[in-house]
Amino acid sequence: MGEAYGFFDCRATKEAIEAELPTIRRLVETPSGLELSLTEGMDNVRGDSKLVSLAREAGESGIKYMLKANYPDADNNTTADELAGILNQAYQSPLYKKGEEFKGTIVYEEKGDYIFRE
């Protein structure tokens, strides 16, 4: 089971992001088995201590959201690639104003450490 986490900032509300996700998924042709869950506020992130620590750091740098991806038929790296496509398309969506800066990163676990996707 692949897992990856996208930390990103967006001025849109959680409800607006969740409403836009089906369109984004369709545009990037996300596999139907990929599950997404959105968390607002880095203090609300749950998981192992390393993930919570990453979320805290992200929150301190102004990041507001975490999008978790689970992909039963893939490894963590492949899941991170799918999540990257979603966040890239989100930036092209009505969630962001033209010229607005995208602030975010994707991480996944590999051999007990979290890797930042380039």
Side-chain angles (χ1 to χ4, degrees):
M1 159 95 95
E3 275 188 2
Y5 305 89
F7 295 98
F8 67 101
D9 195 38
C10 185
R11 292 182 185 175
T13 64
K14 182 179 183 193
E15 292 76 19
I17 295 168
E18 288 174 333
E20 193 65 28
L21 279 174
T23 301
I24 292 168
R25 288 182 66 126
R26 186 175 40 76
L27 289 170
V28 295
E29 299 177 353
T30 306
S32 60
L34 187 81
E35 298 171 15
L36 299 173
S37 62
L38 184 65
T39 301
E40 181 177 9
M42 295 302 98
D43 292 339
N44 296 318
V45 172
R46 302 288 177 256
D48 67 51
S49 60
K50 290 179 186 175
L51 182 65
V52 170
S53 177
L54 286 171
R56 192 172 297 120
E57 288 176 32
E60 289 169 3
S61 71
I63 299 293
K64 187 174 177 182
Y65 295 104
M66 181 186 83
L67 186 61
K68 177 182 179 183
N70 287 325
Y71 192 7
D73 299 330
D75 60 16
N76 291 351
N77 187 30
T78 301
T79 305
D81 289 345
E82 292 292 344
L83 188 53
I86 289 166
L87 289 184
N88 287 336
Q89 186 62 46
Y91 182 62
Q92 308 299 321
S93 78
L95 298 172
Y96 290 89
K97 292 186 174 101
K98 186 174 179 161
E100 188 176 347
E101 181 186 0
F102 180 79
K103 188 173 168 185
T105 189
I106 294 174
V107 298
Y108 61 96
E109 191 176 356
E110 188 174 283
K111 299 178 184 164
D113 291 318
Y114 281 97
I115 307 295
F116 287 83
R117 186 183 178 281
E118 297 300 321

PDB file of all heavy atoms in Angstrom, residues 1-5 48 50-51 54 75-77 80 106-116:
ATOM      1  N   MET A   1       0.850  -1.193   0.000  1.00  0.00           N
ATOM      2  CA  MET A   1       0.000   0.000   0.000  1.00  0.00           C
ATOM      3  C   MET A   1       0.882   1.238   0.000  1.00  0.00           C
ATOM      4  O   MET A   1       1.669   1.433   0.913  1.00  0.00           O
ATOM      5  CB  MET A   1      -0.906   0.010   1.228  1.00  0.00           C
ATOM      6  CG  MET A   1      -1.448   1.374   1.585  1.00  0.00           C
ATOM      7  SD  MET A   1      -3.057   1.747   0.951  1.00  0.00           S
ATOM      8  CE  MET A   1      -4.074   1.294   2.299  1.00  0.00           C
ATOM      9  N   GLY A   2       0.759   2.030  -1.048  1.00  0.00           N
ATOM     10  CA  GLY A   2       1.530   3.258  -1.139  1.00  0.00           C
ATOM     11  C   GLY A   2       0.883   4.389  -0.365  1.00  0.00           C
ATOM     12  O   GLY A   2      -0.338   4.506  -0.324  1.00  0.00           O
ATOM     13  N   GLU A   3       1.729   5.202   0.267  1.00  0.00           N
ATOM     14  CA  GLU A   3       1.271   6.394   0.970  1.00  0.00           C
ATOM     15  C   GLU A   3       2.201   7.551   0.647  1.00  0.00           C
ATOM     16  O   GLU A   3       3.411   7.359   0.554  1.00  0.00           O
ATOM     17  CB  GLU A   3       1.292   6.194   2.493  1.00  0.00           C
ATOM     18  CG  GLU A   3       0.089   5.542   3.052  1.00  0.00           C
ATOM     19  CD  GLU A   3       0.084   5.557   4.582  1.00  0.00           C
ATOM     20  OE1 GLU A   3       1.008   6.108   5.217  1.00  0.00           O
ATOM     21  OE2 GLU A   3      -0.854   4.997   5.129  1.00  0.00           O
ATOM     22  N   ALA A   4       1.612   8.728   0.495  1.00  0.00           N
ATOM     23  CA  ALA A   4       2.390   9.946   0.296  1.00  0.00           C
ATOM     24  C   ALA A   4       1.587  11.105   0.873  1.00  0.00           C
ATOM     25  O   ALA A   4       0.361  11.012   1.021  1.00  0.00           O
ATOM     26  CB  ALA A   4       2.686  10.177  -1.178  1.00  0.00           C
ATOM     27  N   TYR A   5       2.304  12.172   1.184  1.00  0.00           N
ATOM     28  CA  TYR A   5       1.680  13.324   1.824  1.00  0.00           C
ATOM     29  C   TYR A   5       2.086  14.594   1.092  1.00  0.00           C
ATOM     30  O   TYR A   5       3.272  14.822   0.855  1.00  0.00           O
ATOM     31  CB  TYR A   5       2.129  13.425   3.291  1.00  0.00           C
ATOM     32  CG  TYR A   5       1.871  12.160   4.057  1.00  0.00           C
ATOM     33  CD1 TYR A   5       2.822  11.143   4.091  1.00  0.00           C
ATOM     34  CD2 TYR A   5       0.670  11.960   4.727  1.00  0.00           C
ATOM     35  CE1 TYR A   5       2.581   9.964   4.770  1.00  0.00           C
ATOM     36  CE2 TYR A   5       0.421  10.780   5.416  1.00  0.00           C
ATOM     37  CZ  TYR A   5       1.382   9.789   5.427  1.00  0.00           C
ATOM     38  OH  TYR A   5       1.136   8.619   6.103  1.00  0.00           O
ATOM     39  N   ASP A  48       2.768   8.960  12.677  1.00  0.00           N
ATOM     40  CA  ASP A  48       3.979   8.728  13.449  1.00  0.00           C
ATOM     41  C   ASP A  48       4.644  10.064  13.799  1.00  0.00           C
ATOM     42  O   ASP A  48       4.328  11.106  13.225  1.00  0.00           O
ATOM     43  CB  ASP A  48       4.930   7.770  12.725  1.00  0.00           C
ATOM     44  CG  ASP A  48       5.511   8.342  11.449  1.00  0.00           C
ATOM     45  OD1 ASP A  48       6.054   9.466  11.483  1.00  0.00           O
ATOM     46  OD2 ASP A  48       5.431   7.668  10.417  1.00  0.00           O
ATOM     47  N   LYS A  50       7.524  11.322  13.222  1.00  0.00           N
ATOM     48  CA  LYS A  50       8.246  12.010  12.147  1.00  0.00           C
ATOM     49  C   LYS A  50       7.285  12.813  11.271  1.00  0.00           C
ATOM     50  O   LYS A  50       7.585  13.945  10.900  1.00  0.00           O
ATOM     51  CB  LYS A  50       9.018  11.009  11.276  1.00  0.00           C
ATOM     52  CG  LYS A  50      10.215  10.377  11.957  1.00  0.00           C
ATOM     53  CD  LYS A  50      10.886   9.394  11.026  1.00  0.00           C
ATOM     54  CE  LYS A  50      11.994   8.642  11.726  1.00  0.00           C
ATOM     55  NZ  LYS A  50      12.579   7.608  10.866  1.00  0.00           N
ATOM     56  N   LEU A  51       6.144  12.218  10.945  1.00  0.00           N
ATOM     57  CA  LEU A  51       5.157  12.909  10.119  1.00  0.00           C
ATOM     58  C   LEU A  51       4.592  14.117  10.863  1.00  0.00           C
ATOM     59  O   LEU A  51       4.458  15.203  10.289  1.00  0.00           O
ATOM     60  CB  LEU A  51       4.026  11.963   9.709  1.00  0.00           C
ATOM     61  CG  LEU A  51       2.959  12.578   8.807  1.00  0.00           C
ATOM     62  CD1 LEU A  51       3.544  12.980   7.458  1.00  0.00           C
ATOM     63  CD2 LEU A  51       1.798  11.622   8.623  1.00  0.00           C
ATOM     64  N   LEU A  54       7.132  16.853  10.752  1.00  0.00           N
ATOM     65  CA  LEU A  54       7.139  17.496   9.438  1.00  0.00           C
ATOM     66  C   LEU A  54       5.951  18.446   9.295  1.00  0.00           C
ATOM     67  O   LEU A  54       6.088  19.552   8.760  1.00  0.00           O
ATOM     68  CB  LEU A  54       7.090  16.455   8.321  1.00  0.00           C
ATOM     69  CG  LEU A  54       8.368  15.669   8.050  1.00  0.00           C
ATOM     70  CD1 LEU A  54       8.076  14.535   7.067  1.00  0.00           C
ATOM     71  CD2 LEU A  54       9.462  16.559   7.523  1.00  0.00           C
ATOM     72  N   ASP A  75       3.659   1.466  -4.790  1.00  0.00           N
ATOM     73  CA  ASP A  75       4.594   1.763  -3.706  1.00  0.00           C
ATOM     74  C   ASP A  75       4.496   3.256  -3.355  1.00  0.00           C
ATOM     75  O   ASP A  75       3.782   4.019  -4.003  1.00  0.00           O
ATOM     76  CB  ASP A  75       6.029   1.362  -4.077  1.00  0.00           C
ATOM     77  CG  ASP A  75       6.556   2.089  -5.310  1.00  0.00           C
ATOM     78  OD1 ASP A  75       5.975   3.120  -5.725  1.00  0.00           O
ATOM     79  OD2 ASP A  75       7.569   1.630  -5.865  1.00  0.00           O
ATOM     80  N   ASN A  76       5.231   3.679  -2.340  1.00  0.00           N
ATOM     81  CA  ASN A  76       5.148   5.063  -1.872  1.00  0.00           C
ATOM     82  C   ASN A  76       5.623   6.060  -2.923  1.00  0.00           C
ATOM     83  O   ASN A  76       5.046   7.136  -3.076  1.00  0.00           O
ATOM     84  CB  ASN A  76       5.959   5.232  -0.582  1.00  0.00           C
ATOM     85  CG  ASN A  76       5.332   4.501   0.595  1.00  0.00           C
ATOM     86  OD1 ASN A  76       4.209   4.007   0.504  1.00  0.00           O
ATOM     87  ND2 ASN A  76       6.035   4.433   1.694  1.00  0.00           N
ATOM     88  N   ASN A  77       6.670   5.716  -3.656  1.00  0.00           N
ATOM     89  CA  ASN A  77       7.205   6.616  -4.666  1.00  0.00           C
ATOM     90  C   ASN A  77       6.186   6.860  -5.786  1.00  0.00           C
ATOM     91  O   ASN A  77       5.969   7.996  -6.217  1.00  0.00           O
ATOM     92  CB  ASN A  77       8.514   6.047  -5.227  1.00  0.00           C
ATOM     93  CG  ASN A  77       9.214   6.998  -6.166  1.00  0.00           C
ATOM     94  OD1 ASN A  77       9.109   8.206  -6.040  1.00  0.00           O
ATOM     95  ND2 ASN A  77       9.929   6.452  -7.125  1.00  0.00           N
ATOM     96  N   ALA A  80       3.509   9.074  -4.528  1.00  0.00           N
ATOM     97  CA  ALA A  80       3.983  10.465  -4.504  1.00  0.00           C
ATOM     98  C   ALA A  80       3.894  11.091  -5.892  1.00  0.00           C
ATOM     99  O   ALA A  80       3.522  12.262  -6.031  1.00  0.00           O
ATOM    100  CB  ALA A  80       5.411  10.529  -3.975  1.00  0.00           C
ATOM    101  N   ILE A 106       5.967  17.485  -1.321  1.00  0.00           N
ATOM    102  CA  ILE A 106       5.440  16.121  -1.190  1.00  0.00           C
ATOM    103  C   ILE A 106       6.490  15.262  -0.514  1.00  0.00           C
ATOM    104  O   ILE A 106       7.676  15.339  -0.853  1.00  0.00           O
ATOM    105  CB  ILE A 106       5.074  15.547  -2.570  1.00  0.00           C
ATOM    106  CG1 ILE A 106       3.908  16.354  -3.156  1.00  0.00           C
ATOM    107  CG2 ILE A 106       4.715  14.058  -2.472  1.00  0.00           C
ATOM    108  CD1 ILE A 106       3.549  15.990  -4.559  1.00  0.00           C
ATOM    109  N   VAL A 107       6.046  14.467   0.447  1.00  0.00           N
ATOM    110  CA  VAL A 107       6.953  13.551   1.133  1.00  0.00           C
ATOM    111  C   VAL A 107       6.364  12.147   1.119  1.00  0.00           C
ATOM    112  O   VAL A 107       5.156  11.958   1.048  1.00  0.00           O
ATOM    113  CB  VAL A 107       7.243  13.979   2.601  1.00  0.00           C
ATOM    114  CG1 VAL A 107       7.926  15.326   2.659  1.00  0.00           C
ATOM    115  CG2 VAL A 107       5.998  13.975   3.443  1.00  0.00           C
ATOM    116  N   TYR A 108       7.275  11.175   1.153  1.00  0.00           N
ATOM    117  CA  TYR A 108       6.860   9.778   1.281  1.00  0.00           C
ATOM    118  C   TYR A 108       7.929   9.048   2.078  1.00  0.00           C
ATOM    119  O   TYR A 108       9.070   9.496   2.163  1.00  0.00           O
ATOM    120  CB  TYR A 108       6.631   9.129  -0.085  1.00  0.00           C
ATOM    121  CG  TYR A 108       7.847   9.080  -0.974  1.00  0.00           C
ATOM    122  CD1 TYR A 108       8.646   7.931  -1.025  1.00  0.00           C
ATOM    123  CD2 TYR A 108       8.204  10.164  -1.762  1.00  0.00           C
ATOM    124  CE1 TYR A 108       9.766   7.885  -1.841  1.00  0.00           C
ATOM    125  CE2 TYR A 108       9.315  10.122  -2.584  1.00  0.00           C
ATOM    126  CZ  TYR A 108      10.089   8.974  -2.614  1.00  0.00           C
ATOM    127  OH  TYR A 108      11.200   8.929  -3.424  1.00  0.00           O
ATOM    128  N   GLU A 109       7.524   7.938   2.667  1.00  0.00           N
ATOM    129  CA  GLU A 109       8.448   7.188   3.510  1.00  0.00           C
ATOM    130  C   GLU A 109       9.204   6.158   2.682  1.00  0.00           C
ATOM    131  O   GLU A 109       8.639   5.501   1.810  1.00  0.00           O
ATOM    132  CB  GLU A 109       7.690   6.490   4.636  1.00  0.00           C
ATOM    133  CG  GLU A 109       8.605   5.920   5.686  1.00  0.00           C
ATOM    134  CD  GLU A 109       7.852   5.318   6.857  1.00  0.00           C
ATOM    135  OE1 GLU A 109       6.613   5.403   6.902  1.00  0.00           O
ATOM    136  OE2 GLU A 109       8.513   4.739   7.724  1.00  0.00           O
ATOM    137  N   GLU A 110      10.489   6.058   2.950  1.00  0.00           N
ATOM    138  CA  GLU A 110      11.334   5.051   2.321  1.00  0.00           C
ATOM    139  C   GLU A 110      12.364   4.590   3.345  1.00  0.00           C
ATOM    140  O   GLU A 110      13.148   5.394   3.847  1.00  0.00           O
ATOM    141  CB  GLU A 110      12.021   5.643   1.088  1.00  0.00           C
ATOM    142  CG  GLU A 110      12.773   4.607   0.265  1.00  0.00           C
ATOM    143  CD  GLU A 110      13.314   5.226  -1.011  1.00  0.00           C
ATOM    144  OE1 GLU A 110      12.517   5.430  -1.943  1.00  0.00           O
ATOM    145  OE2 GLU A 110      14.520   5.502  -1.055  1.00  0.00           O
ATOM    146  N   LYS A 111      12.333   3.312   3.671  1.00  0.00           N
ATOM    147  CA  LYS A 111      13.270   2.711   4.623  1.00  0.00           C
ATOM    148  C   LYS A 111      13.310   3.458   5.950  1.00  0.00           C
ATOM    149  O   LYS A 111      14.373   3.699   6.521  1.00  0.00           O
ATOM    150  CB  LYS A 111      14.676   2.629   4.023  1.00  0.00           C
ATOM    151  CG  LYS A 111      14.737   1.763   2.778  1.00  0.00           C
ATOM    152  CD  LYS A 111      16.116   1.735   2.184  1.00  0.00           C
ATOM    153  CE  LYS A 111      16.105   0.935   0.895  1.00  0.00           C
ATOM    154  NZ  LYS A 111      17.281   1.163   0.072  1.00  0.00           N
ATOM    155  N   GLY A 112      12.126   3.859   6.440  1.00  0.00           N
ATOM    156  CA  GLY A 112      12.021   4.488   7.748  1.00  0.00           C
ATOM    157  C   GLY A 112      12.250   5.986   7.776  1.00  0.00           C
ATOM    158  O   GLY A 112      12.096   6.614   8.818  1.00  0.00           O
ATOM    159  N   ASP A 113      12.616   6.578   6.638  1.00  0.00           N
ATOM    160  CA  ASP A 113      12.823   8.024   6.580  1.00  0.00           C
ATOM    161  C   ASP A 113      11.850   8.646   5.594  1.00  0.00           C
ATOM    162  O   ASP A 113      11.426   8.006   4.634  1.00  0.00           O
ATOM    163  CB  ASP A 113      14.258   8.363   6.109  1.00  0.00           C
ATOM    164  CG  ASP A 113      15.298   7.984   7.133  1.00  0.00           C
ATOM    165  OD1 ASP A 113      15.074   8.220   8.331  1.00  0.00           O
ATOM    166  OD2 ASP A 113      16.350   7.448   6.723  1.00  0.00           O
ATOM    167  N   TYR A 114      11.512   9.899   5.834  1.00  0.00           N
ATOM    168  CA  TYR A 114      10.668  10.608   4.891  1.00  0.00           C
ATOM    169  C   TYR A 114      11.536  11.283   3.846  1.00  0.00           C
ATOM    170  O   TYR A 114      12.494  11.966   4.166  1.00  0.00           O
ATOM    171  CB  TYR A 114       9.768  11.628   5.599  1.00  0.00           C
ATOM    172  CG  TYR A 114       8.576  10.957   6.233  1.00  0.00           C
ATOM    173  CD1 TYR A 114       8.574  10.609   7.566  1.00  0.00           C
ATOM    174  CD2 TYR A 114       7.456  10.627   5.470  1.00  0.00           C
ATOM    175  CE1 TYR A 114       7.484   9.966   8.146  1.00  0.00           C
ATOM    176  CE2 TYR A 114       6.371   9.987   6.019  1.00  0.00           C
ATOM    177  CZ  TYR A 114       6.394   9.655   7.361  1.00  0.00           C
ATOM    178  OH  TYR A 114       5.314   9.014   7.909  1.00  0.00           O
ATOM    179  N   ILE A 115      11.194  11.047   2.588  1.00  0.00           N
ATOM    180  CA  ILE A 115      11.923  11.583   1.446  1.00  0.00           C
ATOM    181  C   ILE A 115      11.110  12.713   0.847  1.00  0.00           C
ATOM    182  O   ILE A 115       9.903  12.571   0.637  1.00  0.00           O
ATOM    183  CB  ILE A 115      12.115  10.485   0.361  1.00  0.00           C
ATOM    184  CG1 ILE A 115      12.752   9.217   0.933  1.00  0.00           C
ATOM    185  CG2 ILE A 115      12.887  11.028  -0.842  1.00  0.00           C
ATOM    186  CD1 ILE A 115      14.148   9.370   1.430  1.00  0.00           C
ATOM    187  N   PHE A 116      11.756  13.841   0.579  1.00  0.00           N
ATOM    188  CA  PHE A 116      11.098  14.945  -0.101  1.00  0.00           C
ATOM    189  C   PHE A 116      11.209  14.705  -1.602  1.00  0.00           C
ATOM    190  O   PHE A 116      12.298  14.541  -2.117  1.00  0.00           O
ATOM    191  CB  PHE A 116      11.732  16.290   0.267  1.00  0.00           C
ATOM    192  CG  PHE A 116      11.390  16.727   1.660  1.00  0.00           C
ATOM    193  CD1 PHE A 116      12.109  16.246   2.742  1.00  0.00           C
ATOM    194  CD2 PHE A 116      10.340  17.591   1.889  1.00  0.00           C
ATOM    195  CE1 PHE A 116      11.798  16.631   4.030  1.00  0.00           C
ATOM    196  CE2 PHE A 116      10.009  17.984   3.175  1.00  0.00           C
ATOM    197  CZ  PHE A 116      10.735  17.507   4.249  1.00  0.00           C
TER     198      PHE A 116
END
